[in-house]
Amino acid sequence: MAPAKNINFGILCIEYQAIDVAGPMDILFNASHQVISQYAQIGVVPQGIVEKASPITFHHVGETLDPVPLTGNMKIVPSTTCDTCPELDYLLIGGPRPTDQLSPTFTKFVQEHVAAGRGLFTTCTGAMAIGNTGVLDGKNATVNHELLELGKTMYPKVHWTKAKQWVVDGNIWTSGGACAGMDMIAHWVEQTFGKEVAGVAYRMLDFEARDVDGKRTLRAEN
């Protein structure tokens, strides 16, 4: 059986905390058709799981193709720009410094993505980074819970909450700190591809997801 439609997953190349993107991205990568089919070929997972996964292509979107500094003296080299990026199904925004705001170019890119009804994920302070775009105005959202009060001060039109580890409002998903962002993406993987596919990703990363209330869930098994 042919794999499902390819999913174009974008990552905005701002100066984010590395784990805010690397953690969620590796969960997605290990749940992708490309990777699970490789595991099936070497007998690590049953062949029947392969057809349940979708190919995922990652696009690292910059204003230019120049490297962007991250935490820990790391750098990310964009693979595309806002002008050349293919149509994305989802966009992930990691957390930069709490008071950072998106540039006009990135602001327009995010606004158009959300207006088209496509999915947007933010981790940690990523929700504050998009505060100036207006896409969260009037919506329920969360952010790193230690910075919730700052978020309320900076962007009072957003309905900030720390009642849950992540919040879904329409096509926008926002999470608390970095590890809550991994839990959020793990939940999306389970919801989208099922527990069998998610279980492969979890085991390959030796990862155990928490639920939206922060409680550990049983590791998904095949």
Side-chain angles (χ1 to χ4, degrees), residues 65-213:
L65 295 178
D66 294 335
V68 177
L70 307 178
T71 55
N73 203 27
M74 296 174 66
K75 292 182 180 180
I76 181 71
V77 179
S79 59
T80 187
T81 68
C82 294
D83 292 330
T84 60
C85 184
E87 184 176 288
L88 299 175
D89 298 296
Y90 298 94
L91 179 63
L92 171 63
I93 300 177
R97 291 173 291 271
T99 55
D100 283 4
Q101 295 184 335
L102 296 188
S103 68
T105 299
F106 279 149
T107 293
K108 181 174 181 288
F109 187 79
V110 170
Q111 289 171 335
E112 291 178 349
H113 178 86
V114 172
R118 303 187 188 104
L120 177 69
F121 295 92
T122 70
T123 58
C124 199
T125 54
M128 293 172 70
I130 64 171
N132 68 311
T133 69
V135 299
L136 290 180
D137 288 357
K139 291 187 175 293
N140 298 310
T142 194
V143 67
N144 185 309
H145 292 176
E146 295 299 312
L147 298 167
L148 192 78
E149 294 306 315
L150 179 60
K152 290 179 179 179
T153 299
M154 292 179 65
Y155 303 108
K157 293 181 180 179
V158 181
H159 302 316
W160 297 106
T161 178
K162 61 178 180 180
K164 301 292 182 180
Q165 294 295 95
W166 68 84
V167 174
V168 184
D169 194 328
N171 58 328
I172 301 178
W173 298 53
T174 55
S175 81
C179 293
M182 294 177 67
D183 296 328
M184 173 182 68
I185 289 292
H187 177 78
W188 180 85
V189 168
E190 286 193 27
Q191 185 181 78
T192 305
F193 306 120
K195 286 186 176 293
E196 287 183 309
V197 170
V200 173
Y202 297 171
R203 289 193 299 279
M204 290 303 172
L205 295 171
D206 199 11
F207 171 71
E208 294 185 47
R210 298 172 297 176
D211 66 18
V212 74
D213 294 311

Side-chain angles (χ1 to χ4, degrees), residues 14-108:
I14 57 178
E15 296 183 20
Y16 55 74
Q17 179 173 262
I19 193 174
D20 286 355
V21 167
M25 187 173 64
D26 264 1
I27 292 173
L28 291 164
F29 177 71
N30 278 276
S32 70
H33 182 272
Q34 301 98 305
V35 173
I36 289 183
S37 61
Q38 292 176 5
Y39 293 150
Q41 288 172 9
I42 59 175
V44 176
V45 300
Q47 187 67 38
I49 295 179
V50 176
E51 64 191 40
K52 298 179 181 180
S54 291
I56 300 176
T57 302
F58 295 99
H59 303 274
H60 299 270
V61 187
E63 292 187 275
T64 69
L65 295 178
D66 294 335
V68 177
L70 307 178
T71 55
N73 203 27
M74 296 174 66
K75 292 182 180 180
I76 181 71
V77 179
S79 59
T80 187
T81 68
C82 294
D83 292 330
T84 60
C85 184
E87 184 176 288
L88 299 175
D89 298 296
Y90 298 94
L91 179 63
L92 171 63
I93 300 177
R97 291 173 291 271
T99 55
D100 283 4
Q101 295 184 335
L102 296 188
S103 68
T105 299
F106 279 149
T107 293
K108 181 174 181 288

